């Protein structure tokens, strides 16, 4: 039987721009006020190798990175061949992945394990769209950042969007393990759980 929905866990990283902008508290506040429970928390300076292992390596995922570039190029009228030397998502993706490793190792991150009802989807909803310029106001990325693939790629860097959040329960389980947080989870009840 599947566990109770309130036992679902997910993984969040406050990215180096979030930490350096002093937004760690704000991110944590938004998670807590939504009724989600923080069950593990730690600051960490990542190595390139750790980030390389954190993000998927499969072709579909890497191509999806390139597609984000192509979609904003189309929306804002940029020529992919002129800007990136190619209009193939699968060729743009690997370049973006490299920039992502540089970005994610540019300063400390905060690792957070979050538990609560449909935690994975709830945190994705709090985070907002990958591209802050497309993220709704009221989301963390929409309220505190403005960036897009078109802008980031022009500067040969990854999109700065303050936080990482697991996309699926499987991704969350992999990431909690990968970031060494499995043995650091605290079990307690929040007042509103009524236990
Ligand atoms: P999300 O973080 O919303 O799950 P992805 O998993 O698709 O998004 O991408 C991982 C991270 O890579 C993003 O959060 C963003 O920082 C960066 N990124 C994604 N696509 C691009 C792109 N086309 N150009 C630059 N950076 C990108
Ligand atoms: Mg992702």
């Amino acid at each position: 039987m599947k566990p109770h929905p309130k036992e679902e866990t997910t993984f969040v990283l406050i990215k180096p721009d979030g930490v350096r902008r002093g937004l760690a508290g704000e991110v944590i506040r938004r998670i807590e006020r939504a009724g989600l429970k923080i069950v593990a928390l730690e600051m960490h300076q990542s190595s390139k190798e750790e980030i390389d292992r954190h993000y998927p390596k499969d072709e579909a995922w890497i191509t999806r990175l390139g597609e984000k570039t192509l979609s904003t190029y189309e929306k804002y009228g940029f020529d992919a061949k002129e800007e990136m030397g190619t209009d193939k998502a699968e060729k743009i993706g690997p370049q973006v992945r490299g920039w992502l490793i540089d970005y994610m190792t540019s300063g400390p991150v905060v690792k957070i394990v979050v538990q609560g009802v449909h935690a994975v989807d709830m945190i994705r909803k709090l985070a907002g769209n990958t591209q802050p310029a497309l993220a709704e106001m009221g989301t963390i990325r929409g309220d505190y950042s403005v960036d897009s693939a078109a802008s980031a790629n022009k500067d040969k860097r990854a999109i700065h969007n303050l936080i990482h959040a697991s996309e699926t329960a499987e991704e969350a389980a992999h990431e909690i393990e990968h970031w060494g947080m499995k043995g650091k989870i605290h079990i307690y009840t929040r007042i509103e759980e009524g236990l």
Side-chain angles (χ1 to χ4, degrees), residues 39-42 111 113 179-187:
V39 292
L41 185 69
E42 192 174 282
K111 305 189 273 187
V113 181
W179 289 104
M181 299 302 271
K182 213 171 164 182
K184 295 183 177 169
I185 291 174
H186 293 266
I187 298 167

Side-chain angles (χ1 to χ4, degrees), residues 98-155:
W99 297 331
L100 191 48
I101 292 172
D102 293 339
Y103 164 42
M104 293 296 286
T105 55
S106 66
V109 296
V110 177
K111 305 189 273 187
I112 311 175
V113 181
V114 179
Q115 190 175 59
V117 176
H118 306 309
V120 172
D121 288 345
M122 279 296 297
I123 291 285
R124 291 294 296 189
K125 192 157 68 165
L126 287 176
N129 192 291
T130 303
Q131 304 197 50
L134 307 180
E136 298 293 340
M137 306 316 292
T139 64
I140 293 166
R141 288 165 168 174
D143 283 354
Y144 291 103
S145 50
V146 56
D147 200 6
S148 76
S151 177
N153 292 183
K154 197 97 178 156
D155 300 336

